Amino acid sequence: MPLIPEEPQIHEKAQGPRATPASGRTAPTPRPVPGPRPAAPPRPGRPGPVRPAPPAQRASRDTAAAKPGPAGPATPAATSAAPQIQLIPATPDGALDAAEEAVDLLLDSGRAPGDVLVITTGEPHPWAAHELSFGDAAYWAQHDAGDDVFYADAAVADRAVSRAVVVVAINGGPEAAAATALTVAHARAGALLIVCGDPQRINSVLGAGV
């Protein structure tokens, strides 16, 4: 009589993982959706940017709302009073740093970034050079947005609209560039004009009819 082999016994511990029916699977717990990313650092620096990185707002929205900048060219009524003029002595090599320090003090005192225009007579500000690398239209779009400090070369500063405060950095360039910068800055400054540079050079230009 043939022997019937015994049915092998499979120990439970040797068994593989038991399959769970698809209908019985537990859905994975969904991950929380991350909140909005923080704003980019200020430009320049916005710049950041910040996109100095240059040079994003350099002051709180509440502050900006409390001190809005002009939305367009100033009207005759807004420019009827001459702006207050402040002179910060500086060498051509240090004028841009002095202008940046003045901007920081303005923002710390509560000025909105959109209130401030900075004009250079020599080398452009790093933020301006960075933004212009993306094209003229993109650069002036930042100006038209009016929500951040704007940096412009004296040669194109006449395209800028009036702002409450204009800061001029006499950081080199020909005498004509300084005269153009101060003339434009005086016309665009609604309340305050800050000039960083050689006092004798500035006074000679201001005394020439600016």
Side-chain angles (χ1 to χ4, degrees):
M1 182 174 180
L3 296 177
I4 301 175
E6 295 182 0
E7 184 178 347
Q9 295 182 0
I10 301 175
H11 296 284
E12 186 175 353
K13 64 179 181 180
Q15 297 177 7
R18 296 182 180 179
T20 302
S23 59
R25 292 181 181 175
T26 304
T29 303
R31 297 182 179 180
V33 178
R37 296 182 179 178
R43 230 185 256 167
R46 85 246 196 230
V50 186
R51 197 207 38 36
Q57 302 293 329
R58 297 184 66 174
S60 66
R61 293 181 180 273
D62 292 338
T63 300
K67 294 180 176 291
T75 61
T79 58
S80 58
Q84 178 185 355
I85 300 176
Q86 292 183 5
L87 175 60
I88 300 177
T91 64
D93 290 338
L96 195 55
D97 288 338
E100 280 288 89
E101 185 175 352
V103 171
D104 288 340
L105 290 173
L106 288 166
L107 301 182
D108 290 343
S109 69
R111 279 288 179 187
D115 283 350
V116 184
L117 167 67
V118 180
I119 301 175
T120 57
T121 63
E123 289 294 323
H125 189 278
W127 178 85
H130 174 75
E131 291 300 320
L132 282 169
S133 69
F134 296 103
D136 194 66
Y139 170 72
W140 286 103
Q142 299 291 341
H143 166 270
D144 295 341
D147 56 3
D148 205 351
V149 180
F150 189 75
Y151 296 80
D153 182 81
V156 298
D158 58 345
R159 289 183 58 180
V161 299
S162 297
R163 294 199 177 192
V165 183
V166 179
V167 181
V168 180
I170 309 295
N171 61 328
E175 196 70 27
T180 298
L182 291 174
T183 300
V184 172
H186 193 270
R188 298 294 187 271
L192 179 62
L193 170 59
I194 301 175
V195 187
C196 306
D198 175 42
Q200 184 175 357
R201 184 181 184 186
I202 294 170
N203 287 329
S204 66
V205 175
L206 291 175
V210 175

